[in-house]
């Protein structure tokens, strides 16, 4: 049995309230939202939530203040803290106030869903009820906490309450259909059908019959009247995938349907009124196709009311490990062996350029869940599963990979340092990292110490002392002409 409860979501960003609220409602929870401490206080008493999800930075004060008092009054309440101030101090404060969980922004919605499930499971256990704490983690079928994906989430939140046409843009494998499913599943048409059609997968001569349906006897093999995708999606959402591959003659008829709201079947004469939301998607450059007279400009404007651009996976590398773990967990839930990633394997995943995007990563994780003999997937296993050009020559390691490098360095030093209690690992690490940071910063500003100090967030005298301590000559750190 699934544990559901009442959830109060407090955030001054309306997009977060909409997306989180709708996702949790879809899982069966009762949800109310608030945007301030004042509103939060009123709803704590009147709504009596099982779980409070609250931001730290609220318009009328610090969201952490008052949490301890709330828990004193409501001992059965679980508090999940959200914060864009991703600092150790914020995490410590959240723990000290008695928070059940702390999630830094940008957060992943599935991660928040798991935290809510854990919180409700704890509450039910305290009440003596034997219920499964797990929740369905499909509140939003998208995973990612990168800034690019957060912008996608915000756009999704803005279109849930209207029926504007949407054009989803992105390379193959980035998850365009998942965006369409999310908009439908969280929106006001979610109780009606979601129908998808891929224009590139249908022979040109059959596209109109597939979209608009056909009458008995309209062509050879048409033995009965068959409803098209528009009629099948009545009241719901029609997803037109790979719209850039639609032939011009079909584009003309599609435009007419979008303008009139009526479809006429192939071989028919009586129009049928349809009410559907249109979401289209493509990996093609539609403006270029328009210039080449291969796509109608008026249809483009009709479809592109709200554009959503999905980033390639190589442009959101900070999401790679999160996605990989998500796919491994999903594989385990589907009955495949449970696997985890070793740190060296995670480094390789971060370095790979992912030409097949999220779909390629998902397929790889499923394959490794089946074929990997060990429970922990190591780098050597990945080397045998990925193409030889694993790391592009122009690849620059992101901050996540720096963190992995620091972790490996610390592990090695701690292993070496056993039995040497007087070692100063903090200073040892600074001696490795800080000179590189100083050198690169000074080089970027042609040796200008005032500008370098500003970029580093330190004063000029401190910078001079550090240069002296490390034996660095600023005159030699200028970019040559």
């Amino acid at each position: 049995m699934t544990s559901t409860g009442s959830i109060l979501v407090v955030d001054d960003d309306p997009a977060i309230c909409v997306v989180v609220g709708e996702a949790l409602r879809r899982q069966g929870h009762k949800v109310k939202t608030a945007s301030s401490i004042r509103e939060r206080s009123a709803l704590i008493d009147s709504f009596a939530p099982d779980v409070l999800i609250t931001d730290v930075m609220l318009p009328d004060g610090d969201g952490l203040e008052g949490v301890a008092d709330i828990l004193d009054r409501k001992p059965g309440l679980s508090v999940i803290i959200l914060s864009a101030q991703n600092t150790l101090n914020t995490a410590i404060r959240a723990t000290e106030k008695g928070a059940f969980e702390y999630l830094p922004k940008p957060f992943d919605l599935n991660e928040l869903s798991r935290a809510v499930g854990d919180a409700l499971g704890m509450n039910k256990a305290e009440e003596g009820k034997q219920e499964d704490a797990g929740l369905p983690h499909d509140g939003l079928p998208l995973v990612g906490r990168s800034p690019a994906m957060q912008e996608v989430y915000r756009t999704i939140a803005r279109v849930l309450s209207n029926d504007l046409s949407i054009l989803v843009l992105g390379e193959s494998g980035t998850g365009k259909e998942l965006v369409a499913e999310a908009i439908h599943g969280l929106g006001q048409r979610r109780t009606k059908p979601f129908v998808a059609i891929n224009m590139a997968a249908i022979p040109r001569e059959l596209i109109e019959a597939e979209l608009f349906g056909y009458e008995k006897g309209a062509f050879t093999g048409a033995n009965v009247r068959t409803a098209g995708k528009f009629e099948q999606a009545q009241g719901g959402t029609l997803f037109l995938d790979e719209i850039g591959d639609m032939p011009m003659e079909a584009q003309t008829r599609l435009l007419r349907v979008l303008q009139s709201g009526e479809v006429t079947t192939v071989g028919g004469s009586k129009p049928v009124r349809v009410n559907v939301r249109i979401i289209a998607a493509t990996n093609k450059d539609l403006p270029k196709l328009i210039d080449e007279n291969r796509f109608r400009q008026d249809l483009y404007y009709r479809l592109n009311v709200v554009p959503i651009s999905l980033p390639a996976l190589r442009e959101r590398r900070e999401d790679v490990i999160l996605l990989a773990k998500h796919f491994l967990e999903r594989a385990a839930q589907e009955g495949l062996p449970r696997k985890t990633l070793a740190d060296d394997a995670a480094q390789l995943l971060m370095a790979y350029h992912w030409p097949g995007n999220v779909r390629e990563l998902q397929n790889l994780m499923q394959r490794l869940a089946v074929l990997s003999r060990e429970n922990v997937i190591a780098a050597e296993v990945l080397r045998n599963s990925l193409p030889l050009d694993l790391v592009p020559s122009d690849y620059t390691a992101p901050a996540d990979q720096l963190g992995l490098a620091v972790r490996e360095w610390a592990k090695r030093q701690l292993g070496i340092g056993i039995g040497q209690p007087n070692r100063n690992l903090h200073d040892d690490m600074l001696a490795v990292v800080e000179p590189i940071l100083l050198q690169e910063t000074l080089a970027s500003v042609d040796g200008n110490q005032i500008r370098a100090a500003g970029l580093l967030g330190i004063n000029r005298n401190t910078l001079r002392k550090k240069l002296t301590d490390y034996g660095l000559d600023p005159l030699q750190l200028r970019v040559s002409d």
Side-chain angles (χ1 to χ4, degrees):
M1 189 184 303
T2 298
S3 298
T4 58
S6 55
I7 318 292
L8 174 58
V9 181
V10 186
D11 200 296
D12 60 343
D13 185 340
I16 289 180
C17 286
V18 170
V19 171
V20 172
E22 287 301 319
L24 293 175
R25 289 187 188 98
R26 186 182 180 192
Q27 296 171 350
H29 302 295
K30 296 179 181 178
V31 181
K32 287 188 179 294
T33 62
S35 60
S36 66
I37 293 174
R38 181 180 59 81
E39 292 179 8
R40 182 181 76 183
S41 299
L43 285 170
I44 286 291
D45 293 323
S46 62
F47 182 50
D50 299 310
V51 178
L52 167 63
I53 302 172
T54 182
D55 191 16
V56 172
M57 299 295 290
L58 294 171
D60 51 351
D62 184 341
L64 277 172
E65 295 302 323
V67 167
D69 293 336
I70 291 173
L71 290 175
D72 285 341
R73 290 191 296 111
K74 308 285 184 179
L77 179 68
S78 295
V79 179
I80 298 174
I81 299 295
L82 307 177
S83 177
Q85 296 178 313
N86 302 339
T87 64
L88 179 60
N89 182 54
T90 304
I92 292 173
R93 286 185 63 214
T95 303
E96 290 175 343
K97 298 293 184 182
F100 176 79
E101 182 64 275
Y102 163 74
L103 297 177
K105 288 182 177 181
F107 59 89
D108 176 68
L109 195 60
N110 294 297
E111 186 178 11
L112 178 60
S113 176
R114 284 190 289 272
V116 170
D118 291 342
L120 288 171
M122 181 183 71
N123 289 341
K124 299 299 182 184
E126 289 178 350
E127 294 170 9
K129 297 179 181 180
Q130 300 300 315
E131 290 189 284
D132 182 6
L135 281 172
H137 299 147
D138 59 351
L140 187 67
L142 294 163
V143 174
R145 59 172 55 162
S146 62
M149 289 305 297
Q150 295 298 310
E151 183 58 34
V152 171
Y153 298 156
R154 281 190 285 271
T155 304
I156 290 174
R158 296 186 186 107
V159 301
L160 294 181
S161 60
N162 58 62
D163 285 329
L164 297 175
S165 297
I166 295 167
L167 181 60
V168 187
L169 305 168
E171 296 179 6
S172 295
T174 49
K176 296 187 288 296
E177 185 166 356
L178 293 180
V179 170
E181 290 176 356
I183 294 170
H184 174 79
L186 297 174
Q188 54 192 6
R189 293 177 177 263
R190 59 183 172 272
T191 60
K192 300 297 183 178
F194 175 85
V195 178
I197 179 172
N198 188 320
M199 299 301 170
I202 301 173
R204 297 170 65 93
E205 63 274 12
L206 295 181
I207 284 182
E208 291 192 26
E210 286 288 327
L211 277 175
F212 312 122
Y214 52 87
E215 297 296 323
K216 179 180 179 181
F219 49 83
T220 302
N223 299 320
V224 295
R225 184 192 186 279
T226 302
K229 300 300 183 184
F230 270 91
E231 287 188 70
Q232 294 173 29
Q234 186 71 268
T237 301
L238 178 59
F239 177 54
L240 306 174
D241 199 7
E242 305 298 349
I243 192 69
D245 292 289
M246 192 178 202
M248 285 292 285
E249 57 272 20
Q251 292 179 32
T252 301
R253 192 165 179 197
L254 173 62
L255 178 63
R256 190 179 306 122
V257 170
L258 297 182
Q259 291 171 335
S260 67
E262 295 180 336
V263 298
T264 303
T265 58
V266 176
S269 58
K270 185 178 180 180
V272 176
R273 192 75 184 171
V274 290
N275 174 20
V276 299
R277 179 176 203 162
I278 298 296
I279 302 178
T282 184
N283 60 4
K284 301 289 181 63
D285 184 345
L286 293 187
K288 182 179 179 182
L289 294 182
I290 292 171
D291 290 341
E292 298 171 352
N293 294 318
R294 296 165 55 196
F295 200 86
R296 292 186 61 112
Q297 187 175 49
D298 45 6
L299 178 59
Y300 172 71
Y301 291 136
R302 175 72 66 169
L303 297 173
N304 191 34
V305 178
V306 179
I308 298 179
S309 296
L310 280 178
L313 188 53
R314 62 183 175 277
E315 297 169 356
R316 46 182 288 222
R317 292 183 189 270
E318 58 265 63
D319 289 336
V320 169
I321 305 307
L322 185 68
L323 282 161
K325 292 179 178 179
H326 171 76
F327 292 136
L328 288 175
E329 176 61 26
R330 179 187 292 178
Q333 292 174 356
E334 293 172 352
L336 296 177
R338 184 173 296 277
K339 303 293 173 65
T340 59
L341 288 172
D343 285 347
D344 57 354
Q347 290 183 29
L348 290 182
L349 290 178
M350 291 284 291
Y352 183 53
H353 59 277
W354 299 109
N357 291 298
V358 177
R359 185 183 298 126
E360 181 183 7
L361 176 59
Q362 180 179 10
N363 292 341
L364 175 62
M365 291 301 103
Q366 289 176 333
R367 184 164 69 249
L368 291 174
V370 174
L371 299 180
S372 177
R373 296 180 180 179
E374 304 297 329
N375 291 331
V376 178
I377 299 171
E380 190 57 36
V381 176
L382 278 180
R383 290 186 191 281
N384 296 329
S385 302
L386 289 171
L388 294 177
D389 58 340
L390 182 63
V391 184
S393 59
D394 60 349
Y395 173 69
T396 302
D400 294 62
Q401 197 158 356
L402 173 61
L404 290 171
V406 171
R407 187 183 301 277
E408 288 302 310
W409 180 91
K411 287 180 178 179
R412 288 196 303 272
Q413 297 303 314
L414 288 168
I416 296 171
I418 293 176
Q420 302 178 34
N422 294 325
R423 290 197 67 191
N424 189 330
L425 286 180
H426 179 267
D427 287 350
D428 289 349
M429 172 59 77
L430 284 181
V432 173
V433 174
E434 198 167 33
I436 299 173
L437 179 60
L438 297 177
Q439 289 173 322
E440 293 300 320
T441 304
L442 279 161
S444 72
V445 295
D446 201 21
N448 186 312
Q449 294 184 44
I450 295 177
R451 292 177 61 195
L455 289 171
L456 291 164
I458 60 179
N459 63 52
R460 187 179 180 185
N461 290 335
T462 301
L463 175 59
R464 283 178 172 174
K465 183 177 186 305
K466 289 181 180 293
L467 292 173
T468 300
D469 291 344
Y470 291 122
L472 300 176
D473 184 353
L475 296 179
Q476 295 179 357
L477 300 176
R478 293 182 176 179
V479 178
S480 58
D481 295 331

